[in-house]
Coordinates of all heavy atoms in Angstrom, one line a residue:
M1 N 30.0 -4.1 -25.8 CA 28.8 -3.6 -25.0 C 28.9 -2.1 -24.9 O 30.0 -1.5 -24.6 CB 28.8 -4.3 -23.7 CG 27.5 -4.0 -22.9 SD 27.5 -4.6 -21.2 CE 27.8 -6.4 -21.5
A2 N 27.8 -1.4 -25.1 CA 27.8 0.1 -25.0 C 28.1 0.5 -23.5 O 27.8 -0.2 -22.6 CB 26.5 0.6 -25.4
D3 N 28.7 1.7 -23.4 CA 29.0 2.2 -22.0 C 27.8 2.3 -21.2 O 27.8 2.0 -20.0 CB 29.7 3.6 -22.1 CG 31.2 3.4 -22.5 OD1 31.7 2.3 -22.5 OD2 31.8 4.4 -22.8
S4 N 26.7 2.7 -21.8 CA 25.5 2.9 -21.0 C 25.0 1.6 -20.4 O 24.5 1.5 -19.3 CB 24.3 3.6 -21.8 OG 24.1 2.8 -22.9
A5 N 25.1 0.5 -21.1 CA 24.7 -0.8 -20.7 C 25.6 -1.3 -19.5 O 25.1 -1.9 -18.5 CB 24.7 -1.8 -21.8
K6 N 26.9 -0.9 -19.6 CA 27.8 -1.3 -18.5 C 27.4 -0.6 -17.2 O 27.7 -1.1 -16.1 CB 29.2 -1.0 -18.9 CG 29.8 -1.9 -19.9 CD 31.2 -1.5 -20.3 CE 31.7 -2.2 -21.5 NZ 32.9 -1.6 -22.0
K7 N 26.8 0.6 -17.3 CA 26.5 1.3 -16.1 C 25.2 0.9 -15.4 O 24.9 1.3 -14.3 CB 26.4 2.8 -16.4 CG 27.7 3.5 -16.8 CD 27.5 4.9 -17.1 CE 28.8 5.5 -17.7 NZ 28.6 6.8 -18.3
M8 N 24.4 0.1 -16.1 CA 23.2 -0.4 -15.5 C 23.4 -1.3 -14.3 O 24.3 -2.2 -14.4 CB 22.3 -1.1 -16.6 CG 21.8 -0.2 -17.6 SD 20.8 -1.0 -18.9 CE 19.4 -1.6 -17.9
P9 N 22.6 -1.2 -13.2 CA 22.8 -2.1 -12.1 C 22.3 -3.5 -12.5 O 21.4 -3.6 -13.3 CB 21.9 -1.5 -11.0 CG 20.9 -0.7 -11.7 CD 21.6 -0.2 -13.0
L10 N 22.8 -4.5 -11.8 CA 22.3 -5.9 -12.0 C 20.9 -6.0 -11.6 O 20.5 -5.4 -10.6 CB 23.2 -6.9 -11.3 CG 24.6 -7.1 -11.8 CD1 25.4 -8.0 -10.8 CD2 24.7 -7.7 -13.2
G11 N 20.1 -6.8 -12.3 CA 18.7 -7.0 -11.9 C 18.6 -7.6 -10.6 O 19.3 -8.5 -10.2
G12 N 17.6 -7.1 -9.8 CA 17.3 -7.7 -8.5 C 18.3 -7.3 -7.4 O 18.2 -7.8 -6.3
V13 N 19.2 -6.4 -7.7 CA 20.2 -6.0 -6.7 C 19.7 -4.8 -6.0 O 19.4 -3.8 -6.6 CB 21.6 -5.7 -7.3 CG1 22.5 -5.2 -6.2 CG2 22.1 -7.0 -7.9
I14 N 19.6 -4.8 -4.7 CA 19.2 -3.7 -3.9 C 20.5 -3.1 -3.3 O 21.2 -3.6 -2.5 CB 18.3 -4.1 -2.7 CG1 17.0 -4.6 -3.3 CG2 18.0 -2.9 -1.8 CD1 16.1 -5.3 -2.3
E15 N 20.8 -1.9 -3.9 CA 22.2 -1.3 -3.6 C 22.2 -0.5 -2.3 O 23.3 -0.3 -1.8 CB 22.6 -0.4 -4.8 CG 22.7 -1.2 -6.1 CD 23.2 -0.3 -7.3 OE1 22.7 0.8 -7.3 OE2 23.9 -0.8 -8.1
K16 N 21.0 -0.1 -1.9 CA 21.0 0.7 -0.6 C 19.9 0.2 0.3 O 18.8 0.1 -0.1 CB 20.7 2.2 -1.0 CG 20.9 3.2 0.1 CD 20.6 4.6 -0.4 CE 19.2 4.9 -0.3 NZ 18.8 6.3 -0.7
A17 N 20.3 -0.1 1.5 CA 19.3 -0.6 2.5 C 18.3 0.5 2.8 O 18.6 1.7 2.8 CB 20.0 -1.1 3.7
G18 N 17.0 0.1 3.1 CA 16.1 1.1 3.6 C 15.6 2.0 2.5 O 15.2 3.2 2.8
S19 N 15.6 1.6 1.2 CA 15.3 2.5 0.1 C 13.9 2.3 -0.4 O 13.5 3.0 -1.4 CB 16.3 2.2 -1.1 OG 16.2 0.9 -1.5
A20 N 13.1 1.4 0.2 CA 11.7 1.2 -0.3 C 10.9 2.4 -0.4 O 10.1 2.6 -1.3 CB 11.0 0.1 0.6
D21 N 11.1 3.4 0.5 CA 10.4 4.6 0.6 C 10.6 5.4 -0.7 O 9.8 6.3 -1.1 CB 10.7 5.4 1.8 CG 9.7 6.4 2.2 OD1 8.5 6.1 2.0 OD2 10.1 7.5 2.6
D22 N 11.7 5.2 -1.4 CA 12.0 6.0 -2.6 C 11.3 5.5 -3.8 O 11.3 6.2 -4.8 CB 13.5 5.9 -2.9 CG 14.4 6.4 -1.7 OD1 13.9 7.1 -0.9 OD2 15.6 6.0 -1.7
Y23 N 10.6 4.3 -3.7 CA 10.0 3.8 -4.9 C 8.5 4.0 -4.8 O 7.9 3.4 -3.8 CB 10.3 2.3 -5.1 CG 11.8 2.1 -5.4 CD1 12.7 1.9 -4.4 CD2 12.3 2.3 -6.7 CE1 14.1 1.8 -4.7 CE2 13.6 2.1 -7.0 CZ 14.5 1.9 -6.0 OH 15.9 1.8 -6.2
F24 N 7.9 4.7 -5.7 CA 6.4 5.0 -5.6 C 5.6 3.8 -6.2 O 5.2 3.9 -7.4 CB 6.1 6.3 -6.2 CG 6.9 7.4 -5.5 CD1 7.7 8.3 -6.2 CD2 6.7 7.6 -4.1 CE1 8.4 9.3 -5.5 CE2 7.4 8.6 -3.5 CZ 8.2 9.5 -4.2
T25 N 5.4 2.8 -5.4 CA 4.8 1.6 -5.9 C 3.3 1.8 -6.2 O 2.6 1.0 -6.9 CB 4.9 0.4 -4.9 OG1 4.6 0.9 -3.6 CG2 6.3 -0.2 -5.0
G26 N 2.8 3.0 -5.8 CA 1.4 3.3 -6.1 C 1.2 3.5 -7.6 O 0.1 3.4 -8.1
D27 N 2.3 3.7 -8.3 CA 2.2 3.9 -9.8 C 1.6 2.6 -10.4 O 1.1 2.6 -11.6 CB 3.5 4.2 -10.4 CG 4.0 5.6 -10.1 OD1 3.2 6.4 -9.6 OD2 5.1 5.9 -10.5
W28 N 1.8 1.4 -9.8 CA 1.4 0.2 -10.4 C -0.1 -0.1 -10.2 O -0.6 -1.0 -10.8 CB 2.2 -1.0 -9.8 CG 3.6 -0.9 -9.6 CD1 4.4 0.0 -10.3 CD2 4.5 -1.6 -8.8 NE1 5.7 -0.2 -9.9 CE2 5.8 -1.2 -9.0 CE3 4.3 -2.7 -7.9 CZ2 6.9 -1.7 -8.3 CZ3 5.4 -3.2 -7.3 CH2 6.7 -2.7 -7.5
R29 N -0.7 0.6 -9.4 CA -2.0 0.2 -8.9 C -3.1 0.3 -9.9 O -3.2 1.2 -10.7 CB -2.4 1.2 -7.7 CG -3.5 0.7 -6.8 CD -3.7 1.7 -5.6 NE -3.7 3.1 -6.0 CZ -2.9 4.0 -5.7 NH1 -1.9 3.7 -4.9 NH2 -3.0 5.3 -6.1
K30 N -3.9 -0.8 -9.9 CA -5.1 -0.9 -10.8 C -6.4 -0.7 -9.9 O -7.4 -0.2 -10.4 CB -5.2 -2.2 -11.5 CG -4.1 -2.5 -12.4 CD -4.3 -1.8 -13.7 CE -3.2 -2.2 -14.7 NZ -3.0 -1.2 -15.7
L31 N -6.3 -1.1 -8.7 CA -7.4 -1.0 -7.7 C -6.9 -0.1 -6.5 O -5.7 -0.2 -6.2 CB -7.9 -2.3 -7.2 CG -8.5 -3.3 -8.3 CD1 -8.8 -4.6 -7.7 CD2 -9.8 -2.7 -8.9
K32 N -7.8 0.6 -5.9 CA -7.4 1.4 -4.7 C -8.3 1.1 -3.6 O -9.6 0.8 -3.7 CB -7.5 2.9 -5.0 CG -8.8 3.4 -5.3 CD -8.8 4.9 -5.6 CE -10.2 5.4 -6.0 NZ -10.3 6.7 -6.4
P33 N -7.8 1.0 -2.4 CA -8.6 0.8 -1.2 C -9.3 2.0 -0.8 O -8.8 3.1 -0.8 CB -7.6 0.3 -0.1 CG -6.3 1.0 -0.5 CD -6.3 1.2 -2.0
V34 N -10.6 1.9 -0.4 CA -11.4 3.0 0.1 C -12.0 2.6 1.4 O -12.6 1.6 1.6 CB -12.5 3.3 -0.9 CG1 -13.4 4.5 -0.4 CG2 -11.9 3.7 -2.3
L35 N -11.7 3.5 2.4 CA -12.1 3.2 3.8 C -13.5 3.8 4.1 O -13.8 4.9 3.7 CB -11.1 3.8 4.8 CG -11.4 3.8 6.2 CD1 -11.4 2.3 6.7 CD2 -10.5 4.7 7.1
D36 N -14.3 3.0 4.7 CA -15.6 3.5 5.3 C -15.4 3.7 6.7 O -15.4 2.8 7.5 CB -16.7 2.5 5.0 CG -18.1 3.0 5.5 OD1 -18.1 3.9 6.4 OD2 -19.1 2.5 5.1
G37 N -15.1 5.0 7.1 CA -14.7 5.3 8.5 C -15.9 5.0 9.5 O -15.6 4.9 10.7
E38 N -17.1 5.0 9.0 CA -18.2 4.7 9.9 C -18.2 3.2 10.3 O -18.6 2.9 11.4 CB -19.6 4.9 9.1 CG -19.8 6.4 8.7 CD -20.1 7.3 9.9 OE1 -20.9 6.9 10.7 OE2 -19.4 8.4 9.9
K39 N -17.7 2.3 9.5 CA -17.7 0.9 9.8 C -16.4 0.5 10.6 O -16.4 -0.4 11.4 CB -17.7 0.1 8.6 CG -19.0 0.1 7.8 CD -18.9 -0.9 6.6 CE -20.2 -0.9 5.8 NZ -19.9 -1.8 4.6
C40 N -15.3 1.2 10.4 CA -14.0 0.8 10.9 C -14.1 0.9 12.5 O -14.5 1.9 13.0 CB -13.0 1.8 10.4 SG -11.3 1.5 11.1
T41 N -13.5 -0.2 13.1 CA -13.5 -0.3 14.5 C -12.1 0.0 15.1 O -11.8 -0.2 16.3 CB -14.0 -1.6 15.0 OG1 -13.1 -2.6 14.5 CG2 -15.4 -1.9 14.6
N42 N -11.1 0.3 14.1 CA -9.7 0.5 14.5 C -9.1 -0.7 15.2 O -8.2 -0.5 16.1 CB -9.6 1.8 15.4 CG -10.0 3.0 14.7 OD1 -9.5 3.4 13.7 ND2 -11.1 3.7 15.2
C43 N -9.4 -1.8 14.7 CA -8.7 -3.0 15.2 C -7.3 -3.1 14.7 O -6.5 -3.8 15.3 CB -9.5 -4.3 14.7 SG -9.3 -4.6 12.9
L44 N -7.0 -2.4 13.6 CA -5.6 -2.3 13.0 C -5.1 -3.6 12.4 O -3.9 -3.7 12.2 CB -4.6 -1.7 14.0 CG -5.0 -0.4 14.6 CD1 -3.9 0.2 15.5 CD2 -5.4 0.6 13.6
I45 N -5.9 -4.5 12.1 CA -5.5 -5.7 11.4 C -4.9 -5.4 10.0 O -3.9 -5.9 9.6 CB -6.6 -6.8 11.3 CG1 -7.0 -7.3 12.7 CG2 -6.3 -7.9 10.3 CD1 -8.2 -8.2 12.7
C46 N -5.6 -4.4 9.4 CA -5.1 -4.0 8.0 C -3.7 -3.4 8.1 O -2.9 -3.6 7.3 CB -6.1 -3.0 7.4 SG -6.4 -1.6 8.4
W47 N -3.4 -2.7 9.2 CA -2.1 -2.1 9.4 C -1.1 -3.2 9.5 O 0.0 -3.1 9.0 CB -2.2 -1.1 10.6 CG -0.9 -0.5 11.0 CD1 -0.2 0.5 10.3 CD2 -0.1 -0.8 12.1 NE1 0.9 0.8 11.0 CE2 1.0 0.0 12.1 CE3 -0.3 -1.8 13.2 CZ2 2.0 -0.1 13.1 CZ3 0.7 -1.8 14.2 CH2 1.8 -1.0 14.1
V48 N -1.4 -4.2 10.3 CA -0.5 -5.3 10.5 C -0.2 -6.0 9.2 O 0.9 -6.4 8.9 CB -1.0 -6.3 11.6 CG1 -0.2 -7.5 11.7 CG2 -1.1 -5.6 13.0
M49 N -1.3 -6.3 8.5 CA -1.2 -7.2 7.3 C -0.7 -6.5 6.0 O -0.2 -7.2 5.1 CB -2.5 -7.8 7.0 CG -3.1 -8.6 8.2 SD -2.0 -10.0 8.7 CE -2.1 -11.1 7.3
C50 N -0.7 -5.2 5.9 CA -0.3 -4.5 4.7 C 1.2 -4.8 4.4 O 2.0 -4.4 5.2 CB -0.6 -3.0 4.8 SG 0.1 -2.1 3.3
P51 N 1.5 -5.3 3.3 CA 2.9 -5.6 3.0 C 3.8 -4.4 2.6 O 5.0 -4.5 2.5 CB 2.9 -6.6 1.8 CG 1.6 -6.3 1.1 CD 0.6 -5.8 2.2
D52 N 3.1 -3.2 2.4 CA 3.8 -2.0 2.0 C 3.8 -0.9 3.1 O 4.2 0.2 2.8 CB 3.2 -1.5 0.7 CG 3.6 -2.3 -0.5 OD1 4.8 -2.3 -0.8 OD2 2.8 -3.0 -1.1
S53 N 3.3 -1.3 4.3 CA 3.2 -0.3 5.3 C 2.5 1.0 4.8 O 2.9 2.1 5.1 CB 4.6 0.1 5.9 OG 5.2 -1.0 6.4
A54 N 1.4 0.7 4.1 CA 0.7 1.8 3.4 C -0.6 2.2 4.1 O -1.4 3.0 3.7 CB 0.4 1.5 2.0
V55 N -0.9 1.5 5.3 CA -2.0 1.9 6.1 C -1.5 2.9 7.1 O -0.6 2.7 7.8 CB -2.7 0.7 6.8 CG1 -3.8 1.1 7.7 CG2 -3.2 -0.3 5.7
I56 N -2.2 4.1 7.1 CA -1.8 5.2 8.0 C -2.5 5.1 9.3 O -3.8 5.1 9.3 CB -2.0 6.5 7.3 CG1 -1.2 6.6 6.0 CG2 -1.5 7.7 8.3 CD1 -1.5 7.8 5.2
V57 N -1.8 5.1 10.4 CA -2.4 5.1 11.8 C -1.9 6.3 12.5 O -0.7 6.6 12.5 CB -2.0 3.8 12.5 CG1 -2.5 3.8 14.0 CG2 -2.6 2.6 11.8
E58 N -2.8 7.0 13.1 CA -2.5 8.2 13.9 C -3.2 8.1 15.2 O -4.4 7.9 15.2 CB -2.9 9.5 13.2 CG -2.0 9.8 12.0 CD -2.5 11.0 11.2 OE1 -3.4 11.7 11.6 OE2 -1.8 11.3 10.1
D59 N -2.5 8.3 16.3 CA -3.1 8.2 17.7 C -3.9 6.9 17.8 O -5.0 6.9 18.4 CB -4.0 9.4 17.9 CG -3.2 10.7 17.9 OD1 -2.0 10.6 18.3 OD2 -3.7 11.7 17.5
G60 N -3.4 5.8 17.3 CA -4.0 4.5 17.5 C -5.3 4.3 16.6 O -6.0 3.3 16.8
K61 N -5.5 5.2 15.6 CA -6.7 5.0 14.8 C -6.2 4.9 13.3 O -5.3 5.7 12.9 CB -7.6 6.2 15.0 CG -8.2 6.2 16.3 CD -9.3 7.3 16.5 CE -9.9 7.1 17.8 NZ -10.9 8.2 18.2
M62 N -6.9 4.1 12.6 CA -6.7 3.9 11.2 C -7.3 5.1 10.5 O -8.5 5.4 10.6 CB -7.3 2.6 10.7 CG -6.9 2.1 9.4 SD -7.5 3.1 8.0 CE -7.4 1.9 6.7
V63 N -6.5 5.9 9.7 CA -7.0 7.1 9.2 C -7.0 7.2 7.6 O -7.5 8.1 7.0 CB -6.3 8.4 9.7 CG1 -6.5 8.5 11.2 CG2 -4.8 8.3 9.4
G64 N -6.4 6.1 7.0 CA -6.4 6.1 5.6 C -5.2 5.4 5.0 O -4.6 4.6 5.7
F65 N -4.8 5.7 3.8 CA -3.8 5.0 3.1 C -2.8 5.9 2.5 O -3.1 7.0 2.1 CB -4.4 4.2 1.9 CG -5.5 3.3 2.4 CD1 -6.9 3.7 2.3 CD2 -5.3 2.0 2.9 CE1 -7.9 2.9 2.7 CE2 -6.3 1.2 3.3 CZ -7.6 1.6 3.2
D66 N -1.5 5.5 2.5 CA -0.4 6.2 1.8 C -0.5 5.8 0.3 O 0.0 4.7 -0.1 CB 0.9 5.8 2.4 CG 2.1 6.2 1.6 OD1 1.9 6.9 0.5 OD2 3.2 5.9 2.0
M67 N -1.2 6.6 -0.5 CA -1.4 6.2 -1.9 C -0.2 6.3 -2.8 O -0.2 5.8 -3.9 CB -2.6 7.1 -2.5 CG -3.9 6.9 -1.7 SD -4.3 5.2 -1.5 CE -5.3 4.9 -3.0
E68 N 0.9 6.9 -2.3 CA 2.1 6.8 -3.1 C 2.8 5.4 -3.0 O 3.5 5.1 -3.9 CB 3.2 7.9 -2.5 CG 2.8 9.3 -2.9 CD 3.9 10.3 -2.6 OE1 4.8 10.0 -1.8 OE2 3.8 11.4 -3.2
H69 N 2.5 4.7 -2.0 CA 3.1 3.4 -1.8 C 2.1 2.2 -1.8 O 2.6 1.1 -2.0 CB 3.9 3.4 -0.5 CG 5.1 4.3 -0.6 ND1 5.0 5.6 -0.1 CD2 6.3 4.2 -1.1 CE1 6.2 6.2 -0.3 NE2 7.0 5.4 -0.9
C70 N 0.8 2.5 -1.6 CA -0.1 1.4 -1.7 C -0.1 0.9 -3.2 O -0.3 1.7 -4.1 CB -1.5 1.9 -1.4 SG -2.9 0.8 -1.9
K71 N 0.0 -0.5 -3.4 CA 0.0 -1.0 -4.7 C -1.3 -1.7 -5.1 O -1.4 -2.3 -6.1 CB 1.3 -1.8 -5.0 CG 1.4 -3.1 -4.1 CD 2.7 -3.8 -4.6 CE 2.8 -5.1 -3.8 NZ 3.5 -4.9 -2.5
G72 N -2.2 -1.6 -4.2 CA -3.6 -2.0 -4.5 C -3.8 -3.5 -4.5 O -4.6 -4.1 -5.2
C73 N -3.0 -4.2 -3.6 CA -3.0 -5.7 -3.6 C -4.4 -6.2 -3.0 O -4.8 -7.3 -3.3 CB -1.9 -6.2 -2.8 SG -1.9 -5.8 -1.0
G74 N -5.0 -5.4 -2.2 CA -6.3 -5.8 -1.6 C -6.2 -6.6 -0.3 O -7.3 -7.0 0.2
I75 N -5.0 -6.9 0.2 CA -4.9 -7.7 1.4 C -5.7 -7.0 2.5 O -6.3 -7.7 3.3 CB -3.4 -7.9 1.7 CG1 -2.8 -8.8 0.7 CG2 -3.2 -8.5 3.1 CD1 -1.3 -9.0 0.8
C76 N -5.6 -5.7 2.6 CA -6.2 -5.0 3.8 C -7.8 -5.3 3.7 O -8.4 -5.5 4.7 CB -5.9 -3.5 3.7 SG -6.3 -2.7 2.1
A77 N -8.3 -5.2 2.5 CA -9.8 -5.4 2.3 C -10.2 -6.8 2.7 O -11.2 -7.1 3.3 CB -10.2 -5.1 0.9
V78 N -9.3 -7.8 2.3 CA -9.6 -9.2 2.6 C -9.5 -9.5 4.1 O -10.3 -10.2 4.7 CB -8.6 -10.1 1.8 CG1 -8.7 -11.6 2.3 CG2 -8.9 -10.1 0.3
E79 N -8.5 -8.9 4.7 CA -8.2 -9.1 6.2 C -9.1 -8.4 7.1 O -9.2 -8.7 8.3 CB -6.7 -8.9 6.5 CG -5.8 -9.8 5.7 CD -5.9 -11.3 6.1 OE1 -6.4 -11.5 7.2 OE2 -5.6 -12.1 5.3
C80 N -9.7 -7.3 6.7 CA -10.6 -6.6 7.5 C -11.7 -7.6 7.9 O -12.3 -8.3 7.1 CB -11.2 -5.4 6.8 SG -12.3 -4.4 7.8
P81 N -12.0 -7.7 9.2 CA -12.9 -8.8 9.7 C -14.3 -8.8 8.9 O -14.8 -7.8 8.6 CB -13.1 -8.4 11.2 CG -11.9 -7.7 11.5 CD -11.5 -6.9 10.3
D82 N -14.8 -10.0 8.7 CA -16.0 -10.2 7.9 C -17.2 -9.5 8.4 O -18.0 -9.0 7.7 CB -16.3 -11.7 7.9 CG -15.4 -12.5 6.9 OD1 -14.8 -11.9 6.1 OD2 -15.3 -13.7 7.1
K83 N -17.3 -9.3 9.7 CA -18.4 -8.6 10.3 C -18.3 -7.1 10.1 O -19.3 -6.4 10.4 CB -18.6 -8.9 11.8 CG -19.1 -10.3 12.1 CD -19.2 -10.6 13.6 CE -19.6 -12.0 13.8 NZ -19.6 -12.3 15.2
I84 N -17.2 -6.6 9.7 CA -17.0 -5.2 9.6 C -16.8 -4.8 8.1 O -17.6 -4.0 7.6 CB -15.7 -4.7 10.3 CG1 -15.8 -5.1 11.8 CG2 -15.5 -3.2 10.2 CD1 -14.6 -5.0 12.6
K85 N -15.9 -5.3 7.4 CA -15.6 -5.0 6.0 C -15.7 -3.5 5.7 O -16.6 -3.0 5.0 CB -16.6 -5.8 5.1 CG -16.3 -7.3 5.0 CD -14.9 -7.5 4.4 CE -14.4 -9.0 4.4 NZ -13.0 -9.2 4.5
A86 N -14.7 -2.8 6.3 CA -14.7 -1.4 6.2 C -13.9 -0.9 5.0 O -13.8 0.3 4.7 CB -14.2 -0.7 7.4
I87 N -13.3 -1.8 4.2 CA -12.5 -1.4 3.1 C -13.0 -2.0 1.8 O -13.2 -3.2 1.7 CB -11.0 -1.8 3.3 CG1 -10.4 -1.2 4.5 CG2 -10.2 -1.4 2.0 CD1 -9.0 -1.7 4.9
D88 N -13.3 -1.2 0.8 CA -13.7 -1.7 -0.5 C -12.5 -1.4 -1.5 O -11.9 -0.4 -1.4 CB -14.9 -0.9 -1.0 CG -16.2 -1.5 -0.5 OD1 -16.2 -2.7 -0.3 OD2 -17.2 -0.7 -0.3
M89 N -12.3 -2.3 -2.4 CA -11.4 -2.0 -3.5 C -12.1 -1.5 -4.7 O -13.0 -2.2 -5.2 CB -10.6 -3.3 -3.8 CG -9.8 -3.9 -2.7 SD -8.6 -2.8 -2.0 CE -7.4 -2.6 -3.4
E90 N -11.7 -0.3 -5.2 CA -12.4 0.3 -6.3 C -11.4 0.5 -7.4 O -10.2 0.6 -7.2 CB -13.0 1.6 -5.9 CG -14.1 1.5 -4.9 CD -14.7 2.8 -4.5 OE1 -14.3 3.9 -5.1 OE2 -15.6 2.8 -3.7
E91 N -11.9 0.5 -8.7 CA -11.0 0.7 -9.8 C -10.4 2.1 -9.8 O -11.0 3.1 -9.4 CB -11.8 0.6 -11.1 CG -12.1 -0.8 -11.5 CD -12.0 -1.1 -12.9 OE1 -11.3 -0.4 -13.7 OE2 -12.8 -2.0 -13.3
E92 N -9.1 2.1 -10.1 CA -8.3 3.4 -10.1 C -8.7 4.1 -11.4 O -8.8 3.5 -12.5 CB -6.8 3.0 -10.1 CG -5.9 4.2 -10.0 CD -5.9 4.8 -8.5 OE1 -5.4 4.1 -7.6 OE2 -6.4 5.9 -8.4
V93 N -9.1 5.3 -11.3 CA -9.4 6.1 -12.5 C -8.2 7.1 -12.7 O -7.9 7.8 -11.8 CB -10.7 6.9 -12.2 CG1 -11.0 7.8 -13.5 CG2 -11.8 6.0 -11.9
S94 N -7.6 7.0 -13.9 CA -6.5 7.8 -14.1 C -6.8 9.1 -14.9 O -7.9 9.3 -15.3 CB -5.4 7.1 -15.0 OG -6.0 6.6 -16.1
Ligands
SF4_1 S1 -4.2 -2.5 -1.0 FE1 -2.4 -3.6 -0.3 S2 -0.7 -2.1 -0.3 FE2 -2.6 -1.0 -0.4 S3 -3.1 -0.5 1.8 FE3 -4.2 -2.4 1.3 S4 -2.8 -4.1 1.9 FE4 -1.6 -2.2 1.7
SF4_2 S1 -9.0 -4.0 9.5 FE1 -11.0 -2.9 9.0 S2 -11.9 -2.4 11.0 FE2 -9.7 -3.0 11.4 S3 -8.6 -1.0 11.3 FE3 -8.5 -1.8 9.2 S4 -10.3 -1.0 8.2 FE4 -10.7 -0.7 10.4

């Protein structure tokens, strides 16, 4: 086996706790969430439900998305209450 192969970490091994912030999962995104601030009631359900902690809240208000870590799963848009629907998922343009 080549030396370089021996140096590779085992698949699925997280070598350092609390390292999620170091991985820019936004690179994977095909769709991006877009907030309509006029409709949003700041219920913060999207903030609770986002699996990547990519919904940004300041002073108790939903202000947008951390696009370096949002991977475009769309959970926030689905979970935003039906009567509000303040988040649309749009195609990412590269
Ligand atoms: S699309 Fe997914 S990762 Fe991005 S903010 Fe919404 S719930 Fe979070
Ligand atoms: S779930 Fe919808 S209404 Fe609630 S904070 Fe998020 S975007 Fe705003």
Side-chain angles (χ1 to χ4, degrees):
M1 188 185 303
D3 280 349
S4 58
K6 288 179 189 167
K7 290 178 188 165
M8 290 178 68
L10 291 174
V13 174
I14 298 171
E15 297 180 326
K16 188 178 89 179
S19 61
D21 199 39
D22 299 340
Y23 295 92
F24 298 124
T25 46
D27 286 355
W28 310 344
R29 197 174 49 242
K30 298 280 185 203
L31 298 173
K32 64 179 177 186
V34 176
L35 174 69
D36 182 339
E38 297 288 313
K39 290 183 182 175
C40 177
T41 62
N42 296 300
C43 69
L44 304 187
I45 291 173
C46 56
W47 176 72
V48 171
M49 299 303 289
C50 174
D52 285 295
S53 300
V55 173
I56 301 171
V57 174
E58 290 174 1
D59 296 328
K61 293 189 176 171
M62 194 291 201
V63 296
F65 305 96
D66 168 3
M67 299 308 272
E68 286 190 340
H69 294 95
C70 164
K71 60 179 185 276
C73 66
I75 291 174
C76 54
V78 169
E79 295 297 334
C80 184
D82 286 342
K83 288 182 182 170
I84 303 168
K85 287 298 175 210
I87 301 172
D88 277 329
M89 298 303 293
E90 295 184 358
E91 281 215 32
E92 190 73 68
V93 180
S94 53

